[in-house]
Amino acid sequence: MANSVLKLPEESLKRLIEHYRNKEINTKNPHARFAAKLPDTMVTVYSSGKVMFQGAGAERETAKWGVADRSKEKTSKAKGDELPPDFATRSVLGSDETGTGDFFGPITVAACFVPARQVELAKELGVKDSKQLTDEYMRKIAPDLKAAFPHSVLTLSNEKYNQVQAQGWSQGKIKALLHNQALKHVLRKMAPEKPEAILIDQFAERGIYYRHITQEQDIVRENVLFSTKAENLHVSVACASIIARVAFLEEMDRLSKLAGVILPKGAGAIVDEAAAKILLSRGEGFLKSITKSHFANTKKAQTLASKKKRT
């Protein structure tokens, strides 16, 4: 389905609304101030001043009011499956994960379905690449995303992570299993509706991904695509990324209360210092229960703790 967006000043918006007044329809979209349905085009005016044209006649109707702004479009350097030119406007189920590089805290994986008719709604709710958003901002918009779109979010605790990692599971296998599970959950919620495609933010080649989950009884394979930088390719992955991030932050909040200190993110020197303090005050068992214990940070914390003991 063709899709184009214009940003118009208020006077132009008023003229546009009057032009389509006889085609006006009711809309349940809380961010839309006006909607009209033509035989081949849907016109939606948003409170932000954007106008979205969807359908076979989108280009024709857009031309009546201006030229769609392409200046902010980015050329993705994503690697992976080739996607059709209009992929960003399609109905897609996306998945992403976070927490894999953090010493403290869990791995979280989320999947989210955004139908074509609600792509613009996701943007109006503030969705874009989560790497461009602050944690505070994501906490604010995540509840709206969860209310608007079918989703699933999985949190793998540190205890469970350490257990399966000790059994020889790689992070790739862990992530593949979680992605597959989250996708299954959303597909069940959507049934009988199906997405036009499923897009996984790629962390492994297709063959390796499916080799990781070969023992699973129910494997999601139909219309599955893989791409890096997937959050820039469809808002469903960006939504999933935000939901996963907030789940990670909430678990970090819980673990911080448990530890009695605010746990730093990442795996740098500040993390080593915090881990050393926890090791001295709460012991090795407690530290292991809130971390990915095979990370090099464990040994670094032990070294720092030994030095502190001697001074």
Side-chain angles (χ1 to χ4, degrees):
M1 180 171 63
N3 182 331
S4 62
V5 177
L6 290 178
K7 176 78 171 179
L8 298 175
E10 182 61 26
E11 285 303 313
S12 297
L13 289 174
K14 289 179 180 178
R15 290 198 302 273
L16 181 147
I17 289 171
E18 286 306 311
H19 178 80
Y20 293 113
R21 183 69 72 183
N22 64 338
K23 303 291 185 182
E24 183 177 5
I25 61 170
N26 291 326
T27 175
K28 295 181 180 180
N29 186 333
H31 298 275
R33 58 186 279 194
F34 175 84
K37 187 174 179 62
L38 283 63
D40 61 356
T41 310
M42 180 72 182
V43 181
T44 306
V45 179
Y46 290 92
S47 55
S48 63
K50 292 180 182 178
V51 184
M52 185 173 187
F53 302 86
Q54 293 175 287
E59 186 174 348
R60 178 196 68 238
E61 295 302 316
T62 303
K64 294 178 180 178
W65 305 100
V67 179
D69 184 8
R70 311 284 183 187
S71 62
K72 295 183 180 179
E73 292 184 359
K74 297 180 180 179
T75 302
S76 176
K77 296 181 180 178
K79 297 179 181 178
D81 292 322
E82 185 175 350
L83 307 179
D86 64 343
F87 187 81
T89 65
R90 295 191 177 190
S91 297
V92 176
L93 169 56
S95 64
D96 201 0
E97 83 285 331
T98 194
T100 57
D102 294 273
F103 180 55
F104 290 109
I107 288 178
T108 57
V109 172
C112 184
F113 173 62
V114 179
R117 65 183 181 277
Q118 291 184 303
V119 165
E120 193 62 25
L121 171 60
K123 295 176 183 177
E124 289 294 320
L125 291 174
V127 176
K128 53 184 175 181
D129 179 0
S130 63
K131 296 179 181 62
Q132 301 175 29
L133 305 177
T134 65
D135 286 346
E136 181 181 2
Y137 183 82
M138 285 189 278
R139 286 183 191 265
K140 288 181 180 178
I141 69 173
D144 290 336
L145 302 182
K146 290 179 181 180
F149 308 115
H151 68 279
S152 174
V153 58
L154 305 175
T155 299
L156 182 68
S157 69
N158 290 105
E159 289 96 338
K160 185 64 176 178
Y161 175 90
N162 290 330
Q163 178 186 336
V164 296
Q165 193 278 329
Q167 293 172 2
W169 289 24
S170 67
Q171 272 204 0
K173 180 178 179 69
I174 292 169
K175 289 188 287 185
L177 288 164
L178 291 171
H179 274 262
N180 187 65
Q181 191 70 20
L183 292 170
K184 287 192 297 183
H185 288 171
V186 180
L187 287 170
R188 291 192 192 110
K189 292 179 182 180
M190 292 170 54
E193 185 177 8
K194 289 186 177 182
E196 293 180 70
I198 294 172
L199 181 60
I200 298 175
D201 191 55
Q202 185 171 322
F203 55 87
E205 295 293 331
R206 178 184 297 273
I208 295 173
Y209 173 88
Y210 282 112
R211 191 155 61 243
H212 283 318
I213 58 176
T214 188
Q215 299 300 318
E216 292 293 285
Q217 290 186 345
D218 189 5
I219 299 175
V220 178
R221 295 181 183 274
E222 186 177 358
N223 296 325
V224 174
L225 300 167
F226 295 84
S227 181
T228 61
K229 304 183 186 299
E231 65 276 3
N232 293 326
L233 304 176
H234 199 278
V235 291
S236 63
V237 181
C239 286
S241 180
I242 291 166
I243 293 170
R245 179 65 178 177
V246 171
F248 170 80
L249 294 172
E250 290 173 348
E251 179 63 4
M252 284 288 278
D253 290 343
R254 188 187 73 84
L255 294 177
S256 292
K257 288 181 180 179
L258 201 61
V261 296
I262 297 176
L263 301 175
K265 303 175 189 69
I270 190 173
V271 171
D272 299 335
E273 288 287 346
K277 290 178 182 178
I278 292 171
L279 188 59
L280 289 170
S281 63
R282 303 293 295 273
E284 187 174 335
F286 179 79
L287 179 65
K288 183 176 181 179
S289 73
I290 62 173
T291 63
K292 301 175 185 70
S293 61
H294 68 105
F295 277 30
N297 301 88
T298 297
K299 289 185 177 179
K300 293 177 181 179
Q302 290 169 344
T303 300
L304 287 171
S306 296
K307 290 180 180 178
K308 290 179 185 292
K309 281 182 179 180
R310 293 196 297 267
T311 58

